[in-house]
Amino acid sequence: MEQFKERLIDIFEVEEINDTDVIKQFEAWDSLTLLSIIATIDSEFGFQISASDFDKIETIADLLQFIENNKK
Amino acid sequence: MRETVLITGATSDIGKEIALKLSHTSNLILLGRYQEQLEQLKAHCANSSSHFVFQFDFNDIQTYRNTFADFLLANEIQVNKLVHCAGMMKVMHMKSVDLKNTHQIFNINVFSIIETLAILLNKRLNGNALNNVVFISAILSKFGSTGHHLYSSTKGALDALMRSLAVELAPNVRVNSVLPGAVETKMSKHLLSDPILLEKLNQQYLLGIGKPVDIANMVNFLLSDESSWITGQEFVVDGGRTINIKNS
């Protein structure tokens, strides 16, 4: 999970991320960022999150929890 | 005698359409990742009992060659024609690419067909049975699009492979590729569900968004004797998308 957080830091081009950060409020957020995160989750955790499931996720903590619940 | 056609990615929407069409005239080997979907497709095909199902996940490419060779030997099948539909799309920023992503998409889109060809051109396994090969490529093989670098490079690899094979295998085997534009499939569903993007696509695609049958018809032509003087070519089937300079 730490490695995944590192990759989120690279994706969002920020110094650090916090559990309470709202994903869609990162400056680097766009549709391609969404697809990049989906691909990274697939690569790191072996499952595909659908765009509609992703829509329900608000914060970094929500995302990490979703991964915890669904990873293989 | 009915020829045998191997379809990789048979349960993709395009693969399925090709299978249903060819099942009237050929015996099929339906190759795909999910057993249940393969069995369902087989049941829907004409002459259902004359087709075979081979379940394999190209993520396990290392074991493919032996497993598939054993399957052919065990069932005493020789393959005459090959249609490569297996493919996946990954869209992301270049900086987010990792080696695992790259391996996965190349395994499924490219290495799968290289391994398959190595088996089907082995005389001991397949004699001189192979006579026709069609790859499903994509217009992204020829044109650029943000986030599509991995996908584009796999399709470009297929087209380059196609040309060299066409030379190496002539005159016994014809090899061609079909380059679809946007087709209504499971793969493109998430893109086509965005109303703004759909509006843009409708302007770009002079003949509208494609259907799997539009691709299946071209594949059927390339596999048939109607195209007997055609090899080593790329066929763009895209409803006019790539020649439409106004809305590119």
Side-chain angles (χ1 to χ4, degrees), chain A residues 8-63:
Chain A
L8 286 180
I9 287 171
D10 290 339
I11 288 172
F12 290 126
E13 299 175 335
V14 290
E15 294 294 319
E16 55 171 16
I17 52 168
N18 299 298
D19 280 357
T20 53
D21 289 342
V22 175
I23 289 173
K24 289 180 185 170
Q25 285 177 2
F26 282 102
E27 211 170 302
W29 174 261
D30 61 15
S31 59
L32 203 52
T33 308
L34 163 66
L35 294 168
S36 297
I37 295 173
I38 291 175
T40 303
I41 292 171
D42 186 14
S43 172
E44 296 262 343
F45 303 106
F47 75 95
Q48 290 202 326
I49 175 170
S50 70
S52 56
D53 272 338
F54 203 96
D55 249 2
K56 295 171 202 148
I57 289 168
E58 196 186 352
T59 62
I60 295 290
D62 295 341
L63 178 61

Side-chain angles (χ1 to χ4, degrees), chain B residues 71-101:
Chain B
F71 167 82
L72 292 177
L73 287 172
N75 291 287
E76 298 180 351
I77 316 173
Q78 293 204 324
V79 176
N80 306 105
K81 298 182 194 301
L82 166 62
V83 184
H84 179 49
C85 302
M88 71 176 310
M89 184 184 259
K90 280 183 184 285
V91 189
M92 68 189 95
H93 289 292
M94 192 66 211
K95 66 174 183 185
S96 302
V97 168
D98 63 23
L99 196 53
K100 214 167 159 186
N101 280 319

Side-chain angles (χ1 to χ4, degrees), chain B residues 184-239:
Chain B
E184 283 173 24
T185 63
K186 286 180 289 237
M187 192 194 269
S188 63
K189 209 171 95 190
H190 69 285
L191 297 171
L192 300 178
S193 64
D194 178 344
I196 300 166
L197 187 63
L198 191 62
E199 173 63 30
K200 203 176 146 200
L201 289 173
N202 279 326
Q203 286 172 14
Q204 290 170 337
Y205 282 80
L206 300 172
L207 307 181
I209 304 295
K211 297 210 159 38
V213 68
D214 297 318
I215 307 308
N217 286 338
M218 177 53 101
V219 171
N220 194 37
F221 168 69
L222 290 172
L223 292 180
S224 76
D225 289 341
E226 300 281 299
S227 61
S228 59
W229 204 43
I230 299 175
T231 194
Q233 301 303 310
E234 297 169 351
F235 292 87
V236 172
V237 182
D238 71 346

